[in-house]
Amino acid sequence: SLTQSRHSRHLGACAAALARFGRGERGDIGDLAVAAEQLRVARRELGRITGHVGAEEVLDIIFRDFCVGK
């Protein structure tokens, strides 16, 4: 079904972000920022399945769709 396909797509994106996180070297602050971003991406993809929407996603939609501040 469409929902299962959507879930599969989001789980795949989550797994890819976690794999990138796992491959990263975390020896300096720049690498920590990259690692943190991959964890954020993984969390966002899981949130899209569970329905958890954070403030960051809401702001992204507002700025993208309503051109606030332009």
mmCIF file of all heavy atoms in Angstrom, residues 31-56:
data_model
loop_
_atom_site.group_PDB
_atom_site.id
_atom_site.type_symbol
_atom_site.label_atom_id
_atom_site.label_comp_id
_atom_site.label_asym_id
_atom_site.label_seq_id
_atom_site.Cartn_x
_atom_site.Cartn_y
_atom_site.Cartn_z
ATOM 1 N N ASP A 31 33.825 17.192 12.609
ATOM 2 C CA ASP A 31 33.282 15.853 12.437
ATOM 3 C C ASP A 31 32.094 15.617 13.361
ATOM 4 O O ASP A 31 31.162 14.913 13.004
ATOM 5 C CB ASP A 31 34.361 14.800 12.684
ATOM 6 C CG ASP A 31 35.428 14.802 11.600
ATOM 7 O OD1 ASP A 31 35.113 15.206 10.469
ATOM 8 O OD2 ASP A 31 36.560 14.407 11.899
ATOM 9 N N LEU A 32 32.126 16.199 14.540
ATOM 10 C CA LEU A 32 30.994 16.070 15.451
ATOM 11 C C LEU A 32 29.751 16.736 14.872
ATOM 12 O O LEU A 32 28.641 16.236 15.035
ATOM 13 C CB LEU A 32 31.329 16.675 16.815
ATOM 14 C CG LEU A 32 32.255 15.849 17.698
ATOM 15 C CD1 LEU A 32 32.594 16.618 18.963
ATOM 16 C CD2 LEU A 32 31.621 14.520 18.041
ATOM 17 N N ALA A 33 29.936 17.858 14.198
ATOM 18 C CA ALA A 33 28.802 18.547 13.582
ATOM 19 C C ALA A 33 28.188 17.694 12.484
ATOM 20 O O ALA A 33 26.961 17.605 12.367
ATOM 21 C CB ALA A 33 29.237 19.895 13.036
ATOM 22 N N VAL A 34 29.019 17.044 11.689
ATOM 23 C CA VAL A 34 28.531 16.172 10.621
ATOM 24 C C VAL A 34 27.804 14.972 11.231
ATOM 25 O O VAL A 34 26.726 14.580 10.773
ATOM 26 C CB VAL A 34 29.686 15.719 9.701
ATOM 27 C CG1 VAL A 34 29.222 14.655 8.723
ATOM 28 C CG2 VAL A 34 30.263 16.918 8.965
ATOM 29 N N ALA A 35 28.379 14.394 12.265
ATOM 30 C CA ALA A 35 27.748 13.255 12.933
ATOM 31 C C ALA A 35 26.396 13.652 13.519
ATOM 32 O O ALA A 35 25.406 12.920 13.381
ATOM 33 C CB ALA A 35 28.673 12.710 14.023
ATOM 34 N N ALA A 36 26.333 14.806 14.160
ATOM 35 C CA ALA A 36 25.077 15.278 14.742
ATOM 36 C C ALA A 36 24.026 15.498 13.665
ATOM 37 O O ALA A 36 22.842 15.200 13.867
ATOM 38 C CB ALA A 36 25.317 16.565 15.531
ATOM 39 N N GLU A 37 24.429 16.011 12.521
ATOM 40 C CA GLU A 37 23.489 16.224 11.414
ATOM 41 C C GLU A 37 22.912 14.897 10.938
ATOM 42 O O GLU A 37 21.722 14.797 10.649
ATOM 43 C CB GLU A 37 24.173 16.966 10.264
ATOM 44 C CG GLU A 37 23.325 17.109 9.033
ATOM 45 C CD GLU A 37 22.068 17.944 9.230
ATOM 46 O OE1 GLU A 37 21.931 18.625 10.262
ATOM 47 O OE2 GLU A 37 21.200 17.910 8.337
ATOM 48 N N GLN A 38 23.730 13.857 10.851
ATOM 49 C CA GLN A 38 23.230 12.557 10.417
ATOM 50 C C GLN A 38 22.230 11.989 11.413
ATOM 51 O O GLN A 38 21.218 11.394 11.034
ATOM 52 C CB GLN A 38 24.387 11.579 10.184
ATOM 53 C CG GLN A 38 25.292 11.976 9.040
ATOM 54 C CD GLN A 38 24.532 12.288 7.764
ATOM 55 O OE1 GLN A 38 23.599 11.593 7.374
ATOM 56 N NE2 GLN A 38 24.925 13.368 7.105
ATOM 57 N N LEU A 39 22.477 12.179 12.703
ATOM 58 C CA LEU A 39 21.511 11.742 13.709
ATOM 59 C C LEU A 39 20.215 12.540 13.611
ATOM 60 O O LEU A 39 19.119 11.998 13.765
ATOM 61 C CB LEU A 39 22.112 11.872 15.111
ATOM 62 C CG LEU A 39 23.223 10.886 15.440
ATOM 63 C CD1 LEU A 39 23.776 11.179 16.824
ATOM 64 C CD2 LEU A 39 22.732 9.446 15.343
ATOM 65 N N ARG A 40 20.323 13.837 13.318
ATOM 66 C CA ARG A 40 19.133 14.670 13.153
ATOM 67 C C ARG A 40 18.299 14.205 11.967
ATOM 68 O O ARG A 40 17.077 14.105 12.039
ATOM 69 C CB ARG A 40 19.526 16.139 12.975
ATOM 70 C CG ARG A 40 18.330 17.091 13.001
ATOM 71 C CD ARG A 40 18.737 18.507 12.605
ATOM 72 N NE ARG A 40 19.107 18.588 11.206
ATOM 73 C CZ ARG A 40 18.234 18.620 10.191
ATOM 74 N NH1 ARG A 40 16.948 18.555 10.422
ATOM 75 N NH2 ARG A 40 18.651 18.700 8.952
ATOM 76 N N VAL A 41 18.974 13.863 10.874
ATOM 77 C CA VAL A 41 18.277 13.375 9.682
ATOM 78 C C VAL A 41 17.559 12.054 9.995
ATOM 79 O O VAL A 41 16.397 11.867 9.626
ATOM 80 C CB VAL A 41 19.263 13.203 8.502
ATOM 81 C CG1 VAL A 41 18.627 12.442 7.353
ATOM 82 C CG2 VAL A 41 19.766 14.556 8.028
ATOM 83 N N ALA A 42 18.240 11.156 10.697
ATOM 84 C CA ALA A 42 17.628 9.871 11.052
ATOM 85 C C ALA A 42 16.393 10.083 11.925
ATOM 86 O O ALA A 42 15.342 9.468 11.699
ATOM 87 C CB ALA A 42 18.652 8.990 11.768
ATOM 88 N N ARG A 43 16.491 10.982 12.905
ATOM 89 C CA ARG A 43 15.357 11.259 13.782
ATOM 90 C C ARG A 43 14.181 11.852 13.006
ATOM 91 O O ARG A 43 13.026 11.497 13.208
ATOM 92 C CB ARG A 43 15.771 12.222 14.893
ATOM 93 C CG ARG A 43 14.638 12.479 15.906
ATOM 94 C CD ARG A 43 14.815 13.755 16.688
ATOM 95 N NE ARG A 43 15.008 14.951 15.892
ATOM 96 C CZ ARG A 43 14.010 15.659 15.350
ATOM 97 N NH1 ARG A 43 12.773 15.285 15.470
ATOM 98 N NH2 ARG A 43 14.271 16.745 14.654
ATOM 99 N N ARG A 44 14.497 12.748 12.073
ATOM 100 C CA ARG A 44 13.441 13.377 11.268
ATOM 101 C C ARG A 44 12.701 12.327 10.435
ATOM 102 O O ARG A 44 11.478 12.349 10.334
ATOM 103 C CB ARG A 44 14.035 14.453 10.365
ATOM 104 C CG ARG A 44 12.957 15.205 9.576
ATOM 105 C CD ARG A 44 13.559 16.165 8.583
ATOM 106 N NE ARG A 44 14.221 15.383 7.549
ATOM 107 C CZ ARG A 44 15.364 15.717 6.962
ATOM 108 N NH1 ARG A 44 15.989 16.816 7.302
ATOM 109 N NH2 ARG A 44 15.888 14.955 6.023
ATOM 110 N N GLU A 45 13.446 11.409 9.835
ATOM 111 C CA GLU A 45 12.813 10.375 9.009
ATOM 112 C C GLU A 45 11.910 9.472 9.848
ATOM 113 O O GLU A 45 10.814 9.111 9.415
ATOM 114 C CB GLU A 45 13.866 9.547 8.277
ATOM 115 C CG GLU A 45 14.633 10.334 7.229
ATOM 116 C CD GLU A 45 13.767 10.862 6.096
ATOM 117 O OE1 GLU A 45 12.716 10.260 5.783
ATOM 118 O OE2 GLU A 45 14.139 11.893 5.513
ATOM 119 N N LEU A 46 12.347 9.119 11.053
ATOM 120 C CA LEU A 46 11.484 8.326 11.933
ATOM 121 C C LEU A 46 10.258 9.125 12.350
ATOM 122 O O LEU A 46 9.154 8.577 12.441
ATOM 123 C CB LEU A 46 12.256 7.863 13.172
ATOM 124 C CG LEU A 46 13.272 6.757 12.943
ATOM 125 C CD1 LEU A 46 13.992 6.440 14.242
ATOM 126 C CD2 LEU A 46 12.622 5.512 12.370
ATOM 127 N N GLY A 47 10.439 10.407 12.584
ATOM 128 C CA GLY A 47 9.312 11.263 12.940
ATOM 129 C C GLY A 47 8.272 11.349 11.843
ATOM 130 O O GLY A 47 7.074 11.490 12.122
ATOM 131 N N ARG A 48 8.694 11.232 10.625
ATOM 132 C CA ARG A 48 7.741 11.271 9.505
ATOM 133 C C ARG A 48 6.873 10.017 9.482
ATOM 134 O O ARG A 48 5.769 10.036 8.958
ATOM 135 C CB ARG A 48 8.483 11.436 8.185
ATOM 136 C CG ARG A 48 9.035 12.837 8.045
ATOM 137 C CD ARG A 48 9.770 13.031 6.760
ATOM 138 N NE ARG A 48 10.149 14.432 6.635
ATOM 139 C CZ ARG A 48 10.978 14.873 5.728
ATOM 140 N NH1 ARG A 48 11.521 14.045 4.852
ATOM 141 N NH2 ARG A 48 11.278 16.153 5.683
ATOM 142 N N ILE A 49 7.371 8.932 10.055
ATOM 143 C CA ILE A 49 6.577 7.706 10.146
ATOM 144 C C ILE A 49 5.643 7.774 11.354
ATOM 145 O O ILE A 49 4.462 7.434 11.262
ATOM 146 C CB ILE A 49 7.489 6.469 10.255
ATOM 147 C CG1 ILE A 49 8.282 6.298 8.961
ATOM 148 C CG2 ILE A 49 6.677 5.207 10.563
ATOM 149 C CD1 ILE A 49 9.378 5.266 9.052
ATOM 150 N N THR A 50 6.157 8.223 12.480
ATOM 151 C CA THR A 50 5.380 8.228 13.721
ATOM 152 C C THR A 50 4.443 9.407 13.843
ATOM 153 O O THR A 50 3.567 9.415 14.705
ATOM 154 C CB THR A 50 6.320 8.224 14.944
ATOM 155 O OG1 THR A 50 7.074 9.437 14.958
ATOM 156 C CG2 THR A 50 7.248 7.031 14.923
ATOM 157 N N GLY A 51 4.645 10.432 13.012
ATOM 158 C CA GLY A 51 3.811 11.615 13.080
ATOM 159 C C GLY A 51 4.359 12.686 14.001
ATOM 160 O O GLY A 51 3.728 13.711 14.206
ATOM 161 N N HIS A 52 5.525 12.457 14.560
ATOM 162 C CA HIS A 52 6.152 13.448 15.419
ATOM 163 C C HIS A 52 6.737 14.549 14.535
ATOM 164 O O HIS A 52 7.603 14.299 13.714
ATOM 165 C CB HIS A 52 7.255 12.833 16.266
ATOM 166 C CG HIS A 52 7.986 13.837 17.083
ATOM 167 N ND1 HIS A 52 7.461 14.352 18.239
ATOM 168 C CD2 HIS A 52 9.175 14.446 16.909
ATOM 169 C CE1 HIS A 52 8.312 15.222 18.736
ATOM 170 N NE2 HIS A 52 9.365 15.303 17.948
ATOM 171 N N VAL A 53 6.242 15.749 14.710
ATOM 172 C CA VAL A 53 6.717 16.880 13.932
ATOM 173 C C VAL A 53 7.316 17.883 14.899
ATOM 174 O O VAL A 53 6.661 18.320 15.841
ATOM 175 C CB VAL A 53 5.565 17.532 13.133
ATOM 176 C CG1 VAL A 53 6.060 18.742 12.379
ATOM 177 C CG2 VAL A 53 4.937 16.530 12.196
ATOM 178 N N GLY A 54 8.567 18.232 14.662
ATOM 179 C CA GLY A 54 9.243 19.188 15.527
ATOM 180 C C GLY A 54 9.111 20.606 15.009
ATOM 181 O O GLY A 54 8.653 20.848 13.894
ATOM 182 N N ALA A 55 9.512 21.532 15.835
ATOM 183 C CA ALA A 55 9.433 22.953 15.479
ATOM 184 C C ALA A 55 10.248 23.263 14.231
ATOM 185 O O ALA A 55 9.853 24.095 13.405
ATOM 186 C CB ALA A 55 9.917 23.801 16.644
ATOM 187 N N GLU A 56 11.371 22.584 14.075
ATOM 188 C CA GLU A 56 12.221 22.828 12.907
ATOM 189 C C GLU A 56 11.489 22.516 11.608
ATOM 190 O O GLU A 56 11.561 23.270 10.643
ATOM 191 C CB GLU A 56 13.480 21.978 13.020
ATOM 192 C CG GLU A 56 14.483 22.232 11.931
ATOM 193 C CD GLU A 56 15.757 21.448 12.155
ATOM 194 O OE1 GLU A 56 16.274 21.438 13.279
ATOM 195 O OE2 GLU A 56 16.225 20.854 11.179
#
